[in-house]
Amino acid sequence: MEEPQRARRPGGRGARVGAAVHQAVTELISERGYGTFSVGDVAARAGVADSSVYRRWGSLEALLADVMLTYLNARSPMPDTGSVAGDLRAYAAAVAREITGPDGLALLRLAVALSTTGEQGLQARDALRDERTRQLQVMLDRATERDEDAPDALGVLDHVLAPMYIRVLFGIGPLTPEYVDGLVDRLLSAL
Amino acid sequence: MEEPQRARRPGGRGARVGAAVHQAVTELISERGYGTFSVGDVAARAGVADSSVYRRWGSLEALLADVMLTYLNARSPMPDTGSVAGDLRAYAAAVAREITGPDGLALLRLAVALSTTGEQGLQARDALRDERTRQLQVMLDRATERDEDAPDALGVLDHVLAPMYIRVLFGIGPLTPEYVDGLVDRLLSAL
C-alpha cells in the first residue's frame, strides 16, 4: 500500500495517475469553482477509482492543497542568486508576476475555501503553508550560512507577500518593480 | 425618485427597508455563502419588491459591499485618540479583534467573491475599498494637522492590515497585542 504524497518515479503509473488527477482538479476549479465538486467528480474525470484518490491524498481538501503546492513550486520556485537581497527580489518579482496574472487570486481563493470547510480543510491549508514556509526558510538559511543578515520567513510573509496579495485582492495596482523591490529593501533595512 | 445609497432619516420607511434588506443579506451569506443567492432571494426574505433593491443599490454586488461597509463602520470605526500612534494602535487592535472573531474572514471572502464576478463586482469592491480608505485618510490627515508625521493610507494597508489579514487567512496566530502594536510601531518608526 502506498503512503500519501510519497514522491514517485517519473513516468510510472503513479505519476500518470497523479498528472490525470491534478489535471482534473484544475479543470473543475476553473469550470465550476471550489465547493462544487467531490472526490467522485475528480476521479470520474481523471478515469481512476475514488479509492485511488482517497488512498493517495486522504481527502479532497488535501488533494486541492497538493495541486496548489505543485503549481506554486513550478511557478514560484525559491531562487538561489547568491545573496539574500537577490533571492528575495527574485522571489517577490516571481510572486508579483504570478498574482497579477489571469488567475492571480488562485491561492487566496483556495485559502478562503479551505478555511471555511472544516477540520480537513484547515489541515490541508496548514500543510500547504508549512511546506512553502519551509522552502522559504531554506532560502533564508542559506543567507545566514553566508553570514548575511536575513529576515525570518514570517517577516517576508508579513511585509513582502501580504501587501502584494492584499493589493491584488482589493484592486490596488499595478505592482511595479519599484514597489516590489521597495518592499524587499524596506524589510532588509529594518534588520 | 431616490438616489442610491443616499443617507436616510432614521426611523423612516427607507431605514426600515434598509435594515430588512441588510438583515436578509447577512442571513443568506451565513446560511448559503456568496454566489448562491440573487436580488430576488434577498427581496423575498426582506419582504420588499426586487425593484426597491435595484433602485436603491443598483446591483447585488453593490448591496453586498454596502452591507459590509455598514458592518465595518459599526465594528471598526476610525478612532480619534489625539495622536497618530494612539489612533493606529486602537484601529489595529479593533481590526485584530474583529478578524480573529467568529467570521473573521468575512471581508476577505467578500473581496474574493466580488473580484471573481465581473465588472459590477469589481466596481462594488472598489467603492468599498475607496470609502474605507477615505475614512482612514481622514484619521491620518488629523495627525498631519497636528503637525505629527503620519504614514499614508496605503502604508497602513500594506504593513498593518495586510499582515494581520494574511496571518488569519493562513492560520498563523494568535494576533497578540505585542504583535499588533509592533506592526504600528514599525510603520511609524520607518517615517
Side-chain angles (χ1 to χ4, degrees):
Chain A
M1 182 143 122
E2 298 167 339
E3 290 186 18
Q5 295 174 305
R6 168 76 52 93
R8 277 164 182 72
R9 204 168 293 131
R13 177 173 148 69
R16 285 196 304 276
V17 168
V21 169
H22 275 221
Q23 178 66 25
V25 168
T26 301
E27 289 172 8
L28 286 164
I29 293 168
S30 151
E31 291 167 19
R32 306 197 209 162
Y34 292 114
T36 63
F37 59 88
S38 64
V39 164
D41 296 326
V42 173
R45 184 171 293 220
V48 303
D50 291 14
S51 59
S52 298
V53 175
Y54 281 114
R55 193 167 57 235
R56 182 149 163 184
W57 285 278
S59 69
L60 177 63
E61 290 79 6
L63 170 57
L64 296 174
D66 185 45
V67 170
M68 178 57 69
L69 181 63
T70 303
Y71 179 84
L72 293 174
N73 289 346
R75 301 296 291 254
S76 312
M78 300 296 160
D80 188 4
T81 67
S83 77
V84 67
D87 283 359
L88 284 172
R89 282 176 167 229
Y91 176 53
V95 171
R97 202 161 41 236
E98 189 56 34
I99 67 179
T100 52
D103 190 19
L105 293 176
L107 177 60
L108 293 187
R109 288 168 65 203
L110 174 64
V112 166
L114 293 178
S115 297
T116 48
T117 52
E119 197 49 45
Q120 284 187 316
L122 294 175
Q123 282 178 15
R125 176 201 65 182
D126 293 353
L128 172 60
R129 172 202 70 205
D130 290 347
E131 173 54 20
R132 286 293 283 182
T133 304
R134 189 194 63 72
Q135 295 177 13
L136 178 58
Q137 192 61 55
V138 167
M139 185 178 91
L140 297 168
D141 286 346
R142 280 199 306 266
T144 311
E145 285 157 20
R146 286 187 303 256
D147 285 327
E148 288 188 282
D149 285 331
D152 60 16
L154 278 178
V156 176
L157 181 72
D158 280 349
H159 297 294
V160 178
L161 301 176
M164 295 197 294
Y165 279 122
I166 291 296
R167 284 194 175 213
V168 169
L169 180 58
F170 285 99
I172 303 167
L175 302 181
T176 64
E178 293 70 31
Y179 171 72
V180 176
D181 286 349
L183 291 173
V184 171
D185 294 346
R186 187 179 182 284
L187 178 66
L188 293 175
S189 72
L191 291 177
Chain B
M1 183 142 121
E2 299 169 338
E3 291 186 16
Q5 292 175 306
R6 167 77 50 94
R8 276 164 184 69
R9 204 168 291 132
R13 176 172 149 70
R16 287 196 302 277
V17 168
V21 168
H22 275 221
Q23 180 65 26
V25 167
T26 302
E27 290 172 10
L28 286 165
I29 293 168
S30 151
E31 291 168 19
R32 307 198 210 161
Y34 293 113
T36 63
F37 59 89
S38 64
V39 164
D41 296 325
V42 173
R45 184 171 292 219
V48 303
D50 292 14
S51 58
S52 299
V53 175
Y54 281 115
R55 196 167 53 235
R56 183 151 164 184
W57 285 278
S59 69
L60 177 63
E61 290 79 6
L63 170 57
L64 295 173
D66 185 44
V67 170
M68 178 57 69
L69 181 62
T70 303
Y71 179 85
L72 292 174
N73 289 346
R75 302 296 292 252
S76 312
M78 299 297 158
D80 186 5
T81 66
S83 76
V84 67
D87 284 357
L88 285 172
R89 281 176 168 228
Y91 175 53
V95 171
R97 201 159 45 237
E98 189 56 36
I99 66 178
T100 51
D103 189 18
L105 293 177
L107 178 60
L108 293 188
R109 289 168 63 205
L110 174 63
V112 166
L114 293 178
S115 298
T116 48
T117 53
E119 198 49 47
Q120 285 187 316
L122 294 175
Q123 281 177 15
R125 175 200 67 184
D126 292 354
L128 171 60
R129 172 202 69 206
D130 289 346
E131 173 54 21
R132 287 293 282 182
T133 305
R134 188 194 63 72
Q135 296 177 13
L136 178 57
Q137 192 61 55
V138 167
M139 185 178 92
L140 298 169
D141 287 346
R142 281 200 305 267
T144 311
E145 286 157 20
R146 288 187 303 255
D147 285 326
E148 289 187 282
D149 284 331
D152 61 17
L154 278 178
V156 177
L157 180 72
D158 280 350
H159 296 293
V160 177
L161 301 176
M164 295 197 295
Y165 279 120
I166 292 296
R167 282 194 176 212
V168 170
L169 180 59
F170 285 99
I172 303 167
L175 303 181
T176 64
E178 293 69 32
Y179 170 72
V180 176
D181 286 349
L183 291 173
V184 171
D185 294 346
R186 186 179 183 287
L187 177 65
L188 292 175
S189 72
L191 292 177

